Amino acid sequence: MPAQQKKLIFCAAGLLSLACALGTAAAVGTQLWVRGTILCTTGALLVNASGPELHKFIGEIQYGLFSGQRVRQCGLGGRPFQFSFFPDLLRIIPASIHVSVILFCTVLVVFALVGAGFFMFNAFGSPYETLHGPVGLYLWSFIACSCGCLIMILFSSEVKIHHLSEKIANFKEGTFTFKTHSEEFANSFWTILVCSLVHFLNALLIRLAGFEFPFSKSKDSGTITGAADLMY
């Protein structure tokens, strides 16, 4: 492939990595990871609410990795409540999983920035056949894509398996009991999915630029070296 086309491909991959780093950093600080509704089961059972009356007992909840808000509805109107994971909710949430999600988000941002830098270096500089070259580009893209997948798996398990929304909804509630009525992942969660797909796309762009995967390349070079040794 001509050098000019390789530069364009590397520039595009670098800009995509930079956009992913900025997008992930912005997503971490938002409350748009999970959005849903919560049902006040205690209040609904007290008045035997059903049908249209049930809406008077359905509140809203929205949260991210650090904070969130909920609106509790128990028949007397909505009452908003702001909460923070650190340090308020550490005793009721799976703290190890939650901290791991934040840690992998940080690693994703760092390696996305590193990948963007090396893509630009290979576009405008003279690539070395070390971590500056194709091997390094595959490595940074693979690590960033793996971190994105781990973030989605860990956070999904925290929300769905450990019932995070219900734990948050029942935080400091002694009289009323709340149950998740509906729940969906919001924009920030899907931003991580898009970033993971982008880093996978970057690996395909490296291959499109004409670079073989480092595993197959090293295998071939080892075979040629062995044959040369046998000749002499």
Side-chain angles (χ1 to χ4, degrees):
M1 178 178 289
Q4 191 66 26
Q5 293 183 17
K6 288 184 179 181
K7 287 184 178 182
L8 292 176
I9 290 176
F10 283 139
C11 286
L15 292 175
L16 288 174
S17 294
L18 180 60
C20 286
L22 297 177
T24 302
V28 170
T30 66
Q31 298 181 1
L32 299 176
W33 284 72
V34 175
R35 183 186 296 115
T37 57
I38 50 177
L39 173 65
C40 179
T41 56
T42 304
L45 288 174
L46 284 175
V47 300
N48 197 20
S50 60
E53 298 177 349
L54 199 62
H55 290 284
K56 298 180 180 180
F57 299 92
I58 297 179
E60 299 177 353
I61 188 171
Q62 178 179 294
Y63 56 90
L65 298 181
F66 294 97
S67 62
Q69 60 181 350
R70 72 183 188 193
V71 178
R72 60 195 300 272
Q73 292 270 9
C74 293
L76 300 175
R79 296 183 180 181
F81 175 75
Q82 299 283 339
F83 58 86
S84 175
F85 283 95
F86 303 98
D88 299 338
L89 301 176
L90 280 180
R91 291 176 293 178
I92 64 171
I93 66 171
S96 59
I97 298 178
H98 199 79
V99 172
S100 297
V101 172
I102 297 174
L103 178 62
F104 281 118
C105 284
T106 305
V107 175
L108 175 57
V109 172
V110 170
F111 278 96
L113 289 174
V114 170
F118 279 111
F119 273 117
M120 291 301 181
F121 180 82
N122 279 270
F124 298 104
S126 299
Y128 298 107
E129 291 299 326
T130 58
L131 291 181
H132 298 77
V135 178
L137 297 180
Y138 283 122
L139 179 62
W140 312 134
S141 299
F142 173 77
I143 293 176
C145 183
S146 300
C147 287
C149 294
L150 287 173
I151 291 168
M152 291 186 293
I153 293 172
L154 291 174
F155 189 74
S156 299
S157 66
E158 185 181 8
V159 174
K160 299 299 183 180
I161 299 177
H162 294 275
H163 306 288
L164 183 61
S165 298
E166 286 189 8
K167 291 181 179 179
I168 294 173
N170 290 284
F171 176 63
K172 290 185 177 181
E173 292 290 342
T175 305
F176 295 96
T177 302
F178 293 87
K179 185 178 180 181
T180 303
H181 186 261
S182 66
E183 189 178 55
E184 63 180 5
F185 293 108
N187 298 338
S188 295
F189 180 84
W190 299 119
T191 299
I192 303 298
L193 174 62
V194 171
C195 289
S196 301
L197 295 177
V198 165
H199 289 296
F200 180 77
L201 175 63
N202 282 347
L204 296 180
L205 288 177
I206 301 169
R207 180 66 185 88
L208 183 63
F211 291 117
E212 297 288 342
F213 287 102
F215 315 106
S216 59
K217 185 176 180 181
S218 60
K219 182 178 178 181
D220 295 340
S221 61
T223 304
I224 295 173
T225 305
D229 291 339
L230 288 176
M231 290 178 64
Y232 293 97

